[in-house]
Amino acid sequence: VNFMVDYLKTTGFKETTKLLFSQNNDFRLVILKLITLSDYYIFGEINFAHLRLIGFLFFLSTLFYFYKLGKFQSSKFYYFLPVPMLLISFAYAEINSLAMESLSHFVVIFFAVSCLYYLFETKKTVLPIILLFFCIYSNGNGLLMVPICILGLLITKDYKRLGIWSLFCALA
């Protein structure tokens, strides 16, 4: 809410960009701020129920990637059922009821899993870099993707993509 009050007072592009990338405690929650702005411009107000629903949609999208990564068969779908239960544990109880928590935690998990999927399963280069950017700027935990992906690329001996990845990580 404080962000929206400050945003409505901004006058120029530079000031707006500075506000978007400003720190919120220890994090730069750019994706959360962009989603909040989108909700404000679409509906004319900030609706926290909408923001919780958007966070839950990111959760469902994460489950889709886990399902694809697990290569579960449709006839054996019950093998997949523990995965959502692990993501909706008591440790994440506040996520389901608070809009900011939902949008910061589920979004970073979604971007991290999708980044890993496209980096290692599909062998793409540009899309995982974009997803890494979103991951870093959706929550502070997104920074952990940098060493994880570098280590993964070292293990798979994909030095060409490792060079491109390292260059982008230095710029981000």
Side-chain angles (χ1 to χ4, degrees), residues 125 153 157-167:
T125 304
L153 290 170
K157 297 180 181 167
D158 194 349
Y159 300 117
K160 178 183 174 190
R161 289 193 314 147
L162 176 64
I164 296 169
W165 189 267
S166 299
L167 177 67

Side-chain angles (χ1 to χ4, degrees), residues 4 28 39 42 49 54 59 75 80 82 90 97 101 138 147 154 157 168:
M4 284 304 297
R28 297 189 190 280
D39 187 60
I42 292 171
I54 292 168
F59 168 74
S75 61
F80 179 70
F90 290 116
S97 60
E101 298 296 326
S138 62
L154 278 171
K157 297 180 181 167
F168 176 77

